[in-house]
Amino acid sequence: QVQLEESGGDSVQAGGSLKLSCAASGYTYRTRCTAWFRQIQGKEREGVAAAYLGGGSRYYAESVKDRFTVREDSVNNILYLQMNDLKPDDTGMYYCAAYSGGGACWNSRGLRDSTFTDWGQGTQVTVSS
C-alpha cells in the first residue's frame, strides 16, 4: 500500500500562487502514476492533474490547463502541484492519489477517482476574491 501525505494548502487571494506537495512512500513495481484531485463543496470530486512515474505523460483538466503544473521529484518520491493565477473556484480540499495496477491512469474522458488505489488525507486550499 502506498502512503501519501499532502501539504502546502493555505488561504490566498485571487491571482496568487500555491505549491502543494505530496510525499509518497511504499511504491511498488506496480505503482504507475500519481494524481491530484480536488473536492469542491457541492460538487463531485474532480481529477485535476496526473503524472506517470518516471517522467512520463502528464494530464491536466481543462479547468486548470496553463495555470497548474505537476512535477515529480523521483529521488524523494514527492509530487508537486504548482498552482498559479488561482481563482475562487479553485477553493476546495486537494487530495493526492496513486494508482498501482496494469491499466491506464486516464483516458480521453479524464481522470476517474475509482481508478486510484491509495489516497492521502487532503490539504485545504482557499482562494478569496
Side-chain angles (χ1 to χ4, degrees):
Q1 187 176 5
V2 178
Q3 291 79 44
L4 303 164
E5 184 173 359
E6 304 94 335
S7 62
D10 205 344
S11 297
V12 296
Q13 291 198 325
S17 298
L18 279 176
K19 184 178 181 180
L20 305 184
S21 300
C22 172
S25 60
Y27 282 158
T28 72
Y29 72 96
R30 288 174 56 82
T31 308
R32 301 202 67 196
C33 60
T34 49
W36 288 97
F37 286 79
R38 65 185 180 188
Q39 181 81 60
I40 296 173
Q41 196 169 8
K43 296 186 179 180
E44 291 185 358
R45 189 157 53 184
E46 175 190 15
V48 172
Y52 278 93
L53 296 184
S57 301
R58 301 289 192 264
Y59 165 90
Y60 295 99
E62 283 296 324
S63 57
V64 305
K65 267 183 184 175
D66 300 324
R67 298 190 299 124
F68 291 11
T69 303
V70 63
R71 184 175 67 84
E72 176 196 9
D73 176 353
S74 59
V75 173
N76 297 299
N77 288 342
I78 301 174
L79 185 72
Y80 297 103
L81 184 67
Q82 178 66 46
M83 306 187 294
N84 298 328
D85 190 22
L86 283 161
K87 306 176 187 301
D89 286 348
D90 294 318
T91 294
M93 185 69 78
Y94 282 70
Y95 297 92
C96 183
Y99 168 57
S100 298
C105 295
W106 62 82
N107 58 27
S108 59
R109 292 189 295 274
L111 288 171
R112 296 193 339 179
D113 56 5
S114 58
T115 297
F116 289 79
T117 49
D118 299 285
W119 292 83
Q121 295 299 308
T123 186
Q124 177 68 35
V125 172
T126 303
V127 185
S128 58
S129 56

